[in-house]
Amino acid sequence: MNETAARDTPVIELSGLRKRFGAVTAVDGIDLTIRPGEVVALLGPNGAGKTTTVDLALGLSTPTEGSARLFGADPRRAVVDGRVGAMLQGGALLPDMTVREAVALVAAAHRTPMPIAEALERARCTDIAGRRVNKLSGGQLQRARFAVAVVSDPDLLVLDEPTAAMDVEARHTFWASMRDFTDAGRTVVFATHYLDEADTFADRIVILRHGRVVADGSPAEIKAVAATRTIRFRGVADSEHVALAALPGTVGLEARHGSVTLRTDDSDTTLRALLTAFPAAHDVEVFASTMDDAFLALTSDTTSVDPIGVSA
């Protein structure tokens, strides 16, 4: 395959993908194409099908219907060729090995791995390289698993909940190392429950619900689904809450400890009406929709949402 064709070949191509476990349908007709160089976040509530989709994409599970291809071929071919690195929830390292030994063991299975010292450095594992796996904290173990995932020098890195068990500092350290990896133009797909990670680090977000894609777009496009804004202020008595809730554009109200929060689908109109009717309102703040708002709107079982960014 020439260089131009390689650039045009999708890194991941899922077509009509379904996976059933008895009466349970975990993945229900997913069509998804990921191009070289993209950083894609997979979001969804528990049971949405994220982990099953990752397993199908990597050839770790056989689809009930449809197909999964990596770099235009069978997923197992890409894995054997060292083009894929993965950090999966079920992945385990031999407990009596040191971190360096675990990374070296995986490196030995590949034709052209990166130097072990470089993999340790990329994963910020140099300081724990001599420590045995069974002596690592949860966050340190995740870093070690990342070193194992990148030592093959893969073109595609797949991460399933990569920062689970990490504290805030460790999460920042992890994503700093990920920036170095993605700056080289590699493709990264990660599933996460941390919406701020998806918003900050992904070029593209794919949201799953009940095994189906319900949204696919940039972080800004996803957040635009939740068209409401939030107005927060003080200085209005509790007895006025009924009148506040009746302000034009208001779709929700919450009051706590003297602070009132209005959700509105027309913040300009609501704000003008608020300041006209309640001139004593002060400390007024207006907030745009967040990734949390969009995620809830797209995944709530009580909300009917048309898929966005998904071809019919």
Side-chain angles (χ1 to χ4, degrees), residues 58 78-79 82-88 110 146 148-159 181 187 189:
L58 294 176
V79 172
R83 303 191 70 183
V84 183
M87 234 180 113
L88 305 180
H110 294 283
F146 181 48
V148 167
V150 300
V151 74
S152 67
D153 201 14
D155 298 312
L156 166 65
L157 188 59
V158 179
L159 312 169
F181 187 85
T187 305
V189 177

Side-chain angles (χ1 to χ4, degrees), residues 25-194:
T25 301
V27 174
D28 192 12
I30 288 181
D31 295 299
L32 181 65
T33 300
I34 296 174
R35 298 288 178 183
E38 288 191 293
V39 179
V40 180
L42 291 180
L43 303 182
N46 289 333
K50 301 187 302 296
T51 296
T52 303
T53 299
V54 168
D55 287 348
L56 292 168
L58 294 176
L60 300 176
S61 182
T62 302
T64 305
E65 296 177 24
S67 65
R69 297 174 71 80
L70 297 183
F71 303 100
D74 183 277
R76 286 162 291 193
R77 167 81 176 273
V79 172
V80 169
D81 289 345
R83 303 191 70 183
V84 183
M87 234 180 113
L88 305 180
Q89 290 187 42
L93 305 179
L94 294 175
D96 293 331
M97 281 189 164
T98 66
V99 173
R100 182 181 290 105
E101 289 169 342
V103 174
L105 180 65
V106 174
H110 294 283
R111 297 187 186 93
T112 56
M114 70 172 60
I116 294 167
E118 181 180 346
L120 292 169
E121 176 61 30
R122 283 184 178 275
R124 307 299 194 264
C125 284
T126 303
D127 60 328
I128 60 171
R131 192 171 302 178
R132 295 195 181 278
V133 169
N134 59 7
K135 300 297 183 182
L136 300 177
S137 68
Q140 290 170 337
L141 182 58
Q142 288 294 83
R143 285 156 53 195
R145 291 169 67 198
F146 181 48
V148 167
V150 300
V151 74
S152 67
D153 201 14
D155 298 312
L156 166 65
L157 188 59
V158 179
L159 312 169
D160 194 0
E161 303 293 345
T163 57
M166 290 186 185
D167 59 27
V168 173
E169 183 178 358
R171 286 174 61 198
H172 280 283
T173 299
F174 174 85
W175 285 110
S177 65
M178 279 299 303
R179 285 193 191 95
D180 295 340
F181 187 85
T182 57
D183 284 347
R186 295 176 173 92
T187 305
V188 176
V189 177
F190 66 97
T192 182
H193 278 100
Y194 295 112

Side-chain angles (χ1 to χ4, degrees), residues 122-276:
R122 283 184 178 275
R124 307 299 194 264
C125 284
T126 303
D127 60 328
I128 60 171
R131 192 171 302 178
R132 295 195 181 278
V133 169
N134 59 7
K135 300 297 183 182
L136 300 177
S137 68
Q140 290 170 337
L141 182 58
Q142 288 294 83
R143 285 156 53 195
R145 291 169 67 198
F146 181 48
V148 167
V150 300
V151 74
S152 67
D153 201 14
D155 298 312
L156 166 65
L157 188 59
V158 179
L159 312 169
D160 194 0
E161 303 293 345
T163 57
M166 290 186 185
D167 59 27
V168 173
E169 183 178 358
R171 286 174 61 198
H172 280 283
T173 299
F174 174 85
W175 285 110
S177 65
M178 279 299 303
R179 285 193 191 95
D180 295 340
F181 187 85
T182 57
D183 284 347
R186 295 176 173 92
T187 305
V188 176
V189 177
F190 66 97
T192 182
H193 278 100
Y194 295 112
L195 303 185
D196 60 314
E197 292 184 346
D199 194 8
T200 303
F201 297 104
D203 305 318
R204 177 181 168 195
I205 294 174
V206 177
I207 298 182
L208 304 181
R209 183 176 73 174
H210 300 319
R212 299 178 179 178
V213 176
V214 295
D216 183 351
S218 69
E221 289 169 336
I222 298 297
K223 285 185 287 189
V225 171
T228 61
R229 288 178 177 256
T230 299
I231 301 174
R232 187 176 300 154
F233 54 92
R234 306 180 71 86
V236 178
D238 292 350
S239 60
E240 301 289 351
H241 287 178
V242 173
L244 285 172
L247 290 174
T250 300
V251 295
L253 180 150
E254 181 181 350
R256 296 186 64 186
H257 308 299
S259 175
V260 178
T261 300
L262 299 179
R263 286 190 302 109
T264 170
D265 56 15
D266 187 346
S267 58
D268 291 341
T269 298
T270 303
L271 185 58
R272 281 193 291 267
L274 168 69
L275 296 177
T276 298

